[in-house]
Amino acid sequence: MGAGHAHRLYVPGASPVHRLPPQTKIVAVLAFVLLVVATPRERMWAFGVYALLLAAVALIARVPLRTVARRTVIEVPFVAFAVLLPFVAEGEKIAVLGLRVSEGGMWDAWNILAKGTLGVVASILLAATTEPRLLLLGIERLRMPSLLTQIATFMLRYVDVVTAELGRMKVARASRGFEARGVRATGVLAKSVGALFLRSYERGERVHLAMVSRGYDGRMPVMHDVGATAAQWTAAAALPSAAALVALAAWIAP
């Protein structure tokens, strides 16, 4: 349980951003997102500056911009919703590329796309520069209830185990000639889900008994010291501080 757990979202590196304690990066990203959300949607230039700030962080962290762009696909459902807004929203209609759309809907769509994309990119950079186990330690350092952090820890460590079990069950079904075609396959798939739940539950019981036998008392042992110095907090504050100046300028600009 004390071993590291690699994750596909993490990009290994030794950059200054990678070396920052996790709690400093969590607070910095949260502050940055709040400032982005608080920025008036009409100040389009401000969102361009925010994007440049994130690009600078990606360059310092040596996270390929292509990787960041590829991972933003996760927000596709929100993009689809935003694209529909100009056509379904109420309000004054304007002509855009020969189409009659709502002006308020256009602003709402821009608001969702700009702020949502910036928040997603900030989260991607956080995940790319911080190992998941260190993120959990950072959250614990920020006084998150211990029970919640332990639940997240077990989920992180065993989601791959459960996924592998599901893959083996899929191979077993295929080796017996099963193909999921039509409604009649629902019964077999439902039984597979039930079997997966039972196997996962039994595995969890065995793991818990093994941990108790080794002295587990409700708290996971801390394998790494993730304390942060004043200099590290200051370095992490560079991103939200710059964003705060941009947000302030956006509010006071005529």
Side-chain angles (χ1 to χ4, degrees), residues 84-191:
L84 292 176
L85 276 178
F87 300 97
V88 299
E90 300 290 337
E92 182 180 351
K93 301 294 183 179
I94 59 175
V96 177
L97 300 177
L99 300 174
R100 299 289 294 177
V101 296
S102 168
E103 183 178 9
M106 290 286 291
W107 280 114
D108 290 339
W110 159 252
N111 193 49
I112 293 174
L113 287 174
K115 295 181 179 180
T117 301
L118 290 170
V120 168
V121 172
S123 301
I124 289 172
L125 291 176
L126 175 62
T129 57
T130 315
E131 294 183 57
R133 59 189 178 83
L134 293 182
L135 272 178
L136 294 173
L137 289 177
I139 292 174
E140 190 171 2
R141 276 275 185 167
L142 296 173
R143 300 296 186 267
M144 177 70 70
S146 177
L147 180 60
L148 294 180
T149 58
Q150 288 189 54
I151 291 173
T153 300
F154 286 122
M155 180 188 71
L156 173 68
R157 290 182 181 275
Y158 292 105
V159 67
D160 290 338
V161 175
V162 175
T163 302
E165 185 70 30
L166 182 62
R168 288 192 291 271
M169 294 173 66
K170 181 178 179 181
V171 171
R173 290 197 305 269
S175 67
R176 290 166 174 80
F178 172 78
E179 293 184 7
R181 293 181 179 178
V183 179
R184 285 186 292 182
T186 304
V188 177
L189 295 177
K191 291 178 182 178

Side-chain angles (χ1 to χ4, degrees), residues 15-53:
S15 70
V17 181
H18 283 79
R19 291 195 298 268
L20 286 175
Q23 63 269 33
T24 64
K25 290 185 276 189
I26 293 171
V27 172
V29 169
L30 179 60
F32 174 82
V33 171
L34 291 176
L35 288 166
V36 169
V37 172
T39 303
R41 62 185 184 182
E42 294 80 9
R43 303 294 188 263
M44 301 178 71
W45 61 267
F47 299 103
V49 178
Y50 291 142
L52 290 177
L53 291 176

Side-chain angles (χ1 to χ4, degrees), residues 191-248:
K191 291 178 182 178
S192 298
V193 172
L196 178 64
F197 172 78
L198 290 176
R199 293 183 185 182
S200 302
Y201 185 82
E202 291 172 352
R203 184 188 291 267
E205 283 191 325
R206 292 195 299 270
V207 170
H208 180 258
L209 290 175
M211 292 172 61
V212 171
S213 68
R214 289 165 173 78
Y216 175 69
D217 60 355
R219 290 183 59 86
M220 296 295 294
V222 177
M223 307 300 294
H224 299 274
D225 181 16
V226 292
T229 65
Q232 290 171 325
W233 278 107
T234 301
L239 175 64
S241 297
L245 294 176
V246 176
L248 180 62

